[in-house]
Amino acid sequence: MEKPFDELHADIGSQLLGLPHSVPDSAAVREARQQLGSADQYVKLGQALSRQLRYREAIDAYTEALKCDPEDLTALRLRAGRYLSTQQSEKAIRDFDHCLQLGADRLDCLYRMGIAYYYAGDDAAAQKALVRCVPYCDDEMAIAVIYWHTLSASRSGKEQELLSYYCRELAVGHHTAYEMAMRVWAGQETLEGMLKQLEREEDDMEYDITLYGLLKHPDCKEKEALMEKLLRRDGFWPCFAYLAAWNDKNGPVHA
């Protein structure tokens, strides 16, 4: 899978902890900086910065776009996503909610609000948002919603009601990693067998998503060791599961 970001990019410490980075402007960033003034131009700068995982700077660019046009849905949705990527959960939720008020895609926003609530430790709100996703889901998004709802419900001791929707016939598309974890939760694969299978996974994002789901399983006895293995696989650190693991290990970001 081709990574949706530049080879030269910021690390997680600079984006979640505000540490300095030494990533120079890409050609796209330099070009965008020369044409600022309108909301669209600030959006282009934010997108170019995001390609370098310079999410905090992208947030600033999208904020400037919103100063030009406070109801620019593109800028608002992109800023919401970058708040989520930097685990500024309350700000992400506020922006996603505003997006919904402006008529944005409900599944897109509710799903990400659910993840933001999960990062914030508000499992009741996470589960509520994820359940609201169900009427809008195809199979590919359903497995992601089932995954996050199941982990949130398990963490809070609630019924894993969406897990009953899982079956091997779901056309999960590229969301295979979520499905692999849910096979174990649904009792269709053993935890030990899936962990062994996962040892052969070379793609960091696939590895992190599956392993995060497995180490949260109540039968997992090596949670700390598996968490350390996951955190070492940081080649795709912006993925939701890696960020969740980082948050579990380090605590929430205070922005």
Side-chain angles (χ1 to χ4, degrees), residues 120-190:
D122 189 343
D123 286 310
Q127 291 157 48
K128 183 177 179 180
L130 292 163
V131 167
R132 290 173 67 194
C133 292
V134 172
Y136 310 105
C137 285
D138 60 10
D139 285 359
E140 189 169 44
M141 278 306 300
I143 194 63
V145 169
I146 291 168
Y147 174 102
W148 287 108
H149 185 277
T150 298
L151 300 191
S152 179
S154 176
R155 185 170 69 177
S156 59
K158 301 298 184 181
E159 181 184 357
Q160 298 152 27
E161 58 183 300
L162 296 192
L163 187 57
S164 63
Y165 287 93
Y166 172 73
C167 66
R168 292 291 286 272
E169 288 72 34
L170 287 177
V172 300
H174 76 282
H175 281 165
T176 53
Y178 290 119
E179 197 263 344
M180 289 175 69
M182 290 301 99
R183 284 187 210 172
V184 176
W185 280 85
Q188 298 188 10
E189 299 276 356
T190 66

Side-chain angles (χ1 to χ4, degrees), residues 22-248:
S22 57
V23 180
D25 286 355
S26 65
V29 171
R30 292 196 299 271
E31 181 180 353
R33 290 195 193 282
Q34 295 172 3
Q35 304 178 50
L36 296 178
S38 69
D40 286 347
Q41 289 165 339
Y42 278 109
V43 165
K44 287 179 181 178
L45 174 59
Q47 290 173 315
L49 288 164
S50 292
R51 286 283 311 181
Q52 294 191 294
L53 307 187
R54 295 164 64 181
Y55 291 149
R56 288 178 176 265
E57 294 161 271
I59 287 168
D60 292 339
Y62 297 137
T63 299
E64 290 300 317
L66 289 164
K67 289 178 181 178
C68 298
D69 181 357
E71 295 198 344
D72 186 314
L73 183 54
T74 297
L76 187 65
R77 168 59 184 83
L78 289 170
R79 188 176 71 172
R82 298 293 71 88
Y83 277 139
L84 183 60
S85 299
T86 53
Q87 295 199 340
Q88 299 182 68
S89 297
E90 291 185 7
K91 293 178 180 179
I93 292 163
R94 185 179 64 227
D95 273 5
F96 280 124
D97 187 56
H98 191 185
C99 286
L100 289 173
Q101 294 172 31
L102 294 176
D105 183 271
R106 294 189 65 78
L107 175 59
D108 172 67
C109 293
L110 288 170
Y111 174 64
R112 286 163 176 78
M113 288 174 74
I115 293 171
Y117 282 122
Y118 182 89
Y119 289 166
D122 189 343
D123 286 310
Q127 291 157 48
K128 183 177 179 180
L130 292 163
V131 167
R132 290 173 67 194
C133 292
V134 172
Y136 310 105
C137 285
D138 60 10
D139 285 359
E140 189 169 44
M141 278 306 300
I143 194 63
V145 169
I146 291 168
Y147 174 102
W148 287 108
H149 185 277
T150 298
L151 300 191
S152 179
S154 176
R155 185 170 69 177
S156 59
K158 301 298 184 181
E159 181 184 357
Q160 298 152 27
E161 58 183 300
L162 296 192
L163 187 57
S164 63
Y165 287 93
Y166 172 73
C167 66
R168 292 291 286 272
E169 288 72 34
L170 287 177
V172 300
H174 76 282
H175 281 165
T176 53
Y178 290 119
E179 197 263 344
M180 289 175 69
M182 290 301 99
R183 284 187 210 172
V184 176
W185 280 85
Q188 298 188 10
E189 299 276 356
T190 66
L191 177 62
E192 295 77 11
M194 189 60 75
L195 286 170
K196 187 172 183 179
Q197 180 178 336
L198 192 58
E199 291 174 1
R200 301 190 294 272
E201 179 57 65
E202 296 181 356
D203 184 278
D204 283 349
M205 182 169 69
E206 295 287 303
Y207 181 90
D208 293 344
I209 292 170
T210 303
L211 184 56
Y212 187 72
L214 297 179
L215 68 84
K216 292 297 181 178
H217 193 279
D219 292 342
C220 182
K221 306 300 183 186
E222 302 177 359
K223 297 181 187 295
E224 291 187 13
L226 290 173
M227 179 70 80
E228 292 304 321
K229 289 180 70 173
L230 190 160
L231 292 171
R232 288 196 292 270
R233 294 285 293 266
D234 63 353
F236 213 115
W237 70 256
C239 86
F240 293 148
Y242 188 92
L243 289 170
W246 191 96
N247 183 61
D248 290 348

